[in-house]
Each structure stands twice: as structure tokens, then as C-alpha cells.
């Protein structure tokens, strides 16, 4: 994608959603960290359903330790891989208290030392909790970047580095969320909804998915 097209790509997404936010529910950097770690191979919706009750009783590392692994497991048993995740959440709480004074560090290398935290999780926390212009490449961002030609790459790290290179500074802070939401709701995995895409003319994907029968008429019909 040409430099001018990249700028226009982000400009349109920004115009439609000036202040995008994560769809994971959290109250502080720690609850965000836990929520993101729990979201691996799970939907944000399923994580939110589990963490609403969990975070009411454990919104700090100390409270999470008091709840214990069994207590955490009971709260998150509806989420995939809940046994491993419960162990990681407790181990994470121990390390945060022992090495970081119970606070979530705002540096990627330190975050990545925590159990259950990889580069993607660290980038989400740095971006959503601390406002750093990081880009966490999940399946949605990987797909959108490759499909559109915005930042093609063979693996998540390659895409991340390419996005950091091509994304204008003006859009860096929110790029992560714009791309995730675009992939989640429009540029879907099985069948992208090209007929209602705001950046369809800038996108390299072919052939464009046609609108379903009757869509234009329905969209143009007056309310009521």
C-alpha cells in the first residue's frame, strides 16, 4: 500500500471512531493485564462474563493471591484453558508482589517476564493501560495487514515491525484498536464484508465480496 493510501486508510478509520477502546472490561492496569492474559484463545465476550465477578473480589495481586488458584479457577472455568490460566494468574500475582511491589510495570521487557505474558499481551497492556503507541498483532490484525496490503508479513512479529514502520505517528496510539475492530466486524476471516468497508478502494484484496441481495435497498430504506 502506498504511503498516501496508508494515511488515508487510517484517516477514515479515525473519522468513524476517533477514540477506540479495548472491548475487554477492566478497572486498572492489573485487571487489564489479567483480562488480556485470559483472552488467549478466547473471545472478549467470554472473558468479560467471567471477570466481572472475579474483579469485584480480586482487583489487585494481593487480593488475587488471597482468592487462591482454586478460587480463580472457579471464576474462569467457562474460559478455554482455564486450568493453565488460573495457575498463571496466581504465579503472575506472586511475581508482581515479589519483584514489582504489586504494581504492573510499564516496560515490555519486564511485562514479558510475567507468567502467561507474551509480546502480544505486553503490547496490549502498554497501549491500553499506559497509552504507549504499541501495536499488538492478534489474528485480526495479522489478517487485515496481509489481506489489505497495509503491512504484509509472514508472522506476527514481522507484521508488527512493518506496522510500526508504515503507520504515521498521528495514528500510532490508536492503530491497534482500529485494526482489531476492523478485522472483528468488517474484514472478517471467512468472508470480509467489502460492500460496507470504509477503505475498500484502498485495499488489495480481490475479488471484493459482493453485497448480499437486497442490502442496498434495506440500507437506503427510511427508518420505521
Amino acid at each position: 500500500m502506498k504511503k498516501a493510501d496508508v494515511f488515508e486508510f487510517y484517516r477514515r478509520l479515525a473519522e468513524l471512531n476517533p477514540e477506540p477502546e479495548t472491548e475487554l472490561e477492566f478497572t486498572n492496569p492489573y485487571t487489564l493485564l489479567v483480562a488480556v492474559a485470559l483472552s488467549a484463545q478466547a473471545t472478549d465476550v467470554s472473558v468479560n462474563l467471567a471477570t466481572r465477578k472475579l474483579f469485584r473480589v480480586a482487583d489487585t495481586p494481593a487480593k488475587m493471591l488471597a482468592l487462591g488458584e482454586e478460587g480463580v479457577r472457579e471464576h474462569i472455568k467457562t474460559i478455554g484453558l482455564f486450568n493453565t490460566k488460573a495457575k498463571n494468574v496466581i504465579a503472575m500475582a506472586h511475581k508482581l508482589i515479589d519483584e514489582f511491589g504489586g504494581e504492573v510495570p510499564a516496560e515490555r521487557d519486564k511485562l514479558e517476564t510475567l507468567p502467561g505474558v507474551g509480546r502480544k499481551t505486553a503490547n496490549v497492556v502498554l497501549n491500553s493501560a499506559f497509552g504507549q503507541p504499541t501495536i499488538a498483532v492478534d489474528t485480526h490484525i495479522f489478517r487485515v495487514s496481509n489481506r489489505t496490503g497495509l503491512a504484509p508479513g509472514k508472522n506476527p512479529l514481522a507484521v508488527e515491525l512493518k506496522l510500526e514502520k508504515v503507520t504515521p505517528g498521528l495514528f500510532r496510539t490508536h492503530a491497534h484498536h482500529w485494526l482489531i475492530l476492523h478485522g472483528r466486524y468488517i474484514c472478517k476471516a471467512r468472508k470480509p464484508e467489502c460492500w460496507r468497508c470504509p477503505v475498500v478502494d484502498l485495499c488489495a484484496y480481490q475479488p471484493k465480496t459482493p453485497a448480499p441481495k437486497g442490502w442496498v435497498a434495506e440500507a437506503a430504506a427510511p427508518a420505521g
Side-chain angles (χ1 to χ4, degrees):
M1 194 178 291
K2 296 179 181 179
K3 187 174 182 180
D5 290 342
V6 170
F7 187 92
E8 180 63 13
F9 183 99
Y10 282 115
R11 189 199 67 76
R12 293 183 194 176
L13 296 183
E15 185 177 43
L16 292 171
N17 188 2
E19 296 291 333
E21 297 179 346
T22 177
E23 294 186 326
L24 287 171
E25 297 174 3
F26 68 100
T27 57
N28 56 35
Y30 175 65
T31 54
L32 175 65
L33 175 63
V34 172
V36 177
L38 294 177
S39 71
Q41 299 184 47
T43 66
D44 288 0
V45 172
S46 67
V47 172
N48 289 338
L49 286 173
T51 58
R52 283 170 195 157
K53 291 183 179 180
L54 173 63
F55 292 157
R56 280 201 287 267
V57 296
D59 61 354
T60 67
K63 291 179 182 178
M64 197 67 76
L65 285 183
L67 185 60
E69 186 178 321
E70 186 175 344
V72 173
R73 188 184 303 115
E74 186 63 25
H75 277 88
I76 68 170
K77 62 185 179 182
T78 56
I79 303 175
L81 306 175
F82 67 91
N83 283 315
T84 298
K85 290 177 179 178
K87 290 179 181 179
N88 284 338
V89 166
I90 292 301
M92 181 195 299
H94 271 296
K95 186 151 187 164
L96 285 171
I97 290 173
D98 293 343
E99 298 186 21
F100 301 107
E103 298 295 324
V104 176
E107 295 85 31
R108 183 192 285 124
D109 58 340
K110 292 179 180 178
L111 283 169
E112 289 188 57
T113 67
L114 298 171
V117 177
R119 186 180 181 90
K120 183 180 74 173
T121 295
N123 280 342
V124 173
V125 172
L126 293 173
N127 181 259
S128 295
F130 300 110
Q132 296 184 26
T134 53
I135 301 176
V137 179
D138 68 349
T139 56
H140 296 300
I141 293 183
F142 186 79
R143 179 176 67 256
V144 169
S145 297
N146 278 285
R147 181 184 276 169
T148 63
L150 174 67
K154 293 184 177 180
N155 55 61
L157 180 58
V159 170
E160 179 188 336
L161 296 178
K162 186 69 177 292
L163 284 171
E164 289 181 346
K165 182 178 180 180
V166 304
T167 302
L170 177 65
F171 303 116
R172 280 287 297 276
T173 299
H174 293 317
H176 166 79
H177 290 117
W178 283 321
L179 295 175
I180 282 181
L181 295 172
H182 187 66
R184 183 173 291 164
Y185 295 111
I186 295 179
C187 197
K188 299 177 181 179
R190 292 187 179 181
K191 190 175 183 180
E193 298 182 0
C194 303
W195 67 88
R196 66 184 192 91
C197 175
V199 292
V200 64
D201 57 311
L202 305 173
C203 171
Y205 178 73
Q206 293 294 340
K208 306 295 191 209
T209 308
K213 187 177 181 180
W215 183 84
V216 174
E218 290 171 7

